Amino acid sequence: MNNLMKAIASGVMFALPVSAFAIQESEVNQPISSAQTLNVPQQGIVVNGFVGAQQTTQTSSETMTRDRYSQPVVDIDYFRFYANARDVYTIDIDQGTGGAQSVDTIIAVFDENGVMLRTNDNTDSLDEGSINTLDARIDEFVVPNTGYYTVGVAAYPQYFVEGGNVSINSTWQSGDYELHISYEKPSVKKQVSVMVKPGESGFTRINPKSRGRIPVAILGSSELNVAMIDESTLRFGASGTEASLAKCHYVARDVNGDGHLDKTCLFDMRSAGFTSESVEGKLSGMTTDGMSFEGAGALKVVPAH
């Protein structure tokens, strides 16, 4: 075994020619409270991991014999890293499809309270390290507040939900992948948390052809008083520039139970410009004292695959 392979097997971090760092996934890194802690330098980091259904051998507790049996164990991976407010990251799966054993990946980012900030199943474009859009990717994740954030990696059809869990506890897929976390640049805009169709768990399904309105909750925080939002500046849709606002609810309420009031607004579905390739609803706006903000919420256009 050469030195490079020994470093991977032992989990030792080593420099790559592309100036990123690589490290091996360290089990057990589930549930979310047992996430593997990463030190993400500005050069970025690559984690070599495996996710999905694994066969393990366990001793039966129901018998006094030494008979052993095989039992499938569902493996979900969680990685925790520290980031500063307004830092920007790309969180990208490579070699999920096309690696030693192909797997359709799902990823999500959670804050310290388990609130799901971003999630992705399939991408709408390929990047250099992927041969299929089944490799999940989150572009331009802008850190809302300084602190720890957790990235979850699962195998389809396990969709992440609030709290860091997945929608089902089984999967028929398994395979290896590379998780790339790349530092980009500080953002000049305040990042806010957004919930598309609050109250739904997992992927929010929408129909772009609907003549209805889509509710979006703008989550308040210690840094955002939703009473200060200038509603006339709100834009929401596929790019975050669509003038689709119908109205906002007059009374603010705490949608996510964090003690801060949130503002829920209704946006015209057809004006939002979503297509079959859309994976997020993007929002932008300003406060009455001139602070620009933006945010994004996960969604899945129907029909789902």
Side-chain angles (χ1 to χ4, degrees):
M1 182 182 292
N2 61 34
N3 291 335
L4 181 61
M5 293 304 296
K6 288 180 179 178
I8 294 176
S10 62
V12 175
M13 192 173 289
F14 58 91
L16 293 177
V18 294
S19 300
F21 284 85
I23 191 171
Q24 187 73 8
E25 172 200 357
S26 179
E27 296 283 7
V28 176
N29 56 354
Q30 70 179 81
I32 192 170
S33 58
S34 298
Q36 179 179 349
T37 300
L38 305 177
N39 178 21
V40 181
Q42 289 197 356
Q43 299 96 320
I45 194 169
V46 180
V47 182
N48 297 280
F50 186 95
V51 72
Q54 301 189 60
Q55 287 293 128
T56 62
T57 302
Q58 299 180 358
T59 301
S60 173
S61 60
E62 298 178 357
T63 67
M64 297 300 292
T65 69
R66 298 195 177 198
D67 293 341
R68 303 180 73 82
Y69 65 96
S70 294
Q71 177 178 333
V73 173
V74 176
D75 178 38
I76 304 166
D77 297 335
Y78 294 94
F79 305 96
R80 180 172 178 258
F81 69 100
Y82 187 85
N84 294 311
R86 301 190 180 182
D87 282 351
V88 183
Y89 291 88
T90 295
I91 301 167
D92 177 33
I93 296 291
D94 285 344
Q95 301 298 313
T97 301
Q101 183 177 343
S102 291
V103 61
D104 180 358
T105 49
I106 314 287
I107 58 176
V109 184
F110 301 89
D111 68 11
E112 293 183 82
N113 298 314
V115 175
M116 187 167 63
L117 303 177
R118 299 278 298 275
T119 187
N120 180 260
D121 177 5
N122 302 332
T123 60
D124 55 7
S125 63
L126 290 176
D127 56 59
E128 184 177 352
S130 297
I131 63 171
N132 196 300
T133 56
L134 295 180
D135 282 355
R137 185 178 75 242
I138 294 175
D139 292 318
E140 296 184 346
F141 168 61
V142 187
V143 177
N145 300 292
T146 298
Y148 280 97
Y149 293 84
T150 300
V151 176
V153 183
Y156 176 82
Q158 296 175 309
Y159 289 109
F160 286 101
V161 297
E162 294 295 328
N165 301 311
V166 289
S167 56
I168 59 174
N169 291 320
S170 63
T171 183
W172 61 83
Q173 294 195 45
S174 59
D176 59 321
Y177 65 88
E178 294 178 358
L179 170 65
H180 294 247
I181 303 178
S182 306
Y183 176 86
E184 295 182 28
K185 60 186 182 305
S187 172
V188 297
K189 292 186 177 181
K190 169 64 184 174
Q191 295 303 300
V192 300
S193 296
V194 172
M195 296 178 69
V196 181
K197 298 176 72 173
E200 292 192 3
S201 61
F203 273 83
T204 299
R205 286 171 167 78
I206 66 163
N207 182 358
K209 297 182 179 180
S210 170
R211 296 182 181 275
R213 296 171 176 177
I214 182 170
V216 177
I218 307 169
L219 304 185
S221 67
S222 59
E223 297 184 358
L224 177 66
N225 179 358
V226 296
M228 297 287 288
I229 292 176
D230 182 352
E231 296 178 9
S232 68
T233 67
L234 291 176
R235 302 289 185 268
F236 175 77
S239 68
T241 61
E242 294 81 3
S244 57
L245 179 67
K247 67 176 183 178
C248 291
H249 292 174
Y250 180 75
V251 178
R253 64 186 184 91
D254 185 1
V255 171
N256 60 341
D258 67 351
H260 297 285
L261 292 178
D262 311 312
K263 179 182 285 290
T264 300
C265 300
L266 302 177
F267 295 88
D268 180 72
M269 181 70 76
R270 291 198 167 187
S271 299
F274 293 120
T275 70
S276 60
E277 304 299 325
S278 298
V279 295
E280 290 182 324
K282 299 179 180 179
L283 178 136
S284 64
M286 295 183 65
T287 59
T288 54
D289 59 356
M291 182 185 75
S292 297
F293 62 85
E294 61 185 5
L299 53 82
K300 193 170 186 68
V301 175
V302 296
H305 79 266

